[in-house]
Amino acid sequence: MQDSQVITGKFLGASAIKYVGENNYAVRSFWIDITTNPDFPNTPEFQLKGDKVNLVNELRKGQSVVIKYNLDGRKYDKTAEGGRKGVTTNLNAWRIEVVQTQSAATVTTAPQAAVPNRTAGLPQPAPVGMGNAADDDIPF
């Protein structure tokens, strides 16, 4: 069973599109920054495949993005050819959404209706605890 994952980070850049295999299948890598501690940078590499390779074309470095991806791992054994064995893991992105931020300058509020001051000209009570204890007429 393959579950979709979601992560948010800052877009760092992307590689050129590469065409691999006999069918010239399009693949492209890109990186995001998910660092929470500056002493230990965390910049995972994601992969785009097939018709998804253009998802990063309009992104700019530093933009906040939400990545939806699938985790894919495959074992390999090249020991018969003098190589080694291990596991290849890919983060296959299939959707990228730019996080829209709103600056305070662009937020508008509806004008407030004027509320008539019905207490204008009337004596206002003093705030509690603001006067001299001898002048305090509160019964407790």
Side-chain angles (χ1 to χ4, degrees):
M1 183 170 131
Q2 197 173 38
D3 290 329
S4 172
Q5 305 292 317
V6 178
I7 193 164
T8 301
K10 298 234 184 258
F11 180 74
L12 295 175
S15 70
I17 298 171
K18 297 176 187 172
Y19 298 92
V20 297
E22 292 177 13
N23 295 330
N24 283 328
Y25 194 68
V27 293
R28 187 178 201 179
S29 297
F30 71 96
W31 305 270
I32 65 169
D33 184 1
I34 58 171
T35 301
T36 56
N37 180 344
D39 292 334
F40 302 99
N42 193 352
T43 56
E45 179 179 85
F46 289 82
Q47 178 176 274
L48 297 165
K49 301 189 307 185
D51 63 343
K52 304 295 184 192
V53 296
N54 294 318
L55 290 178
V56 295
N57 285 357
E58 302 300 318
L59 297 179
R60 293 182 314 277
K61 184 176 181 177
Q63 277 185 306
S64 291
V65 291
V66 175
I67 310 296
K68 294 184 180 179
Y69 67 98
N70 294 329
L71 181 63
D72 184 27
R74 300 201 190 294
K75 287 184 179 182
Y76 64 90
D77 185 350
K78 303 284 184 173
T79 54
E81 298 94 33
R84 59 184 186 152
K85 59 182 175 178
V87 176
T88 299
T89 304
N90 290 315
L91 306 173
N92 294 317
W94 50 273
R95 172 172 269 165
I96 302 173
E97 299 169 356
V98 175
V99 176
Q100 299 296 326
T101 57
Q102 237 181 358
S103 70
T106 62
V107 176
T108 58
T109 58
Q112 297 283 331
V115 178
N117 186 352
R118 290 184 169 54
T119 60
L122 298 176
Q124 299 296 313
V128 176
M130 295 299 286
N132 180 323
D135 295 337
D136 195 348
D137 62 347
I138 297 177
F140 48 87

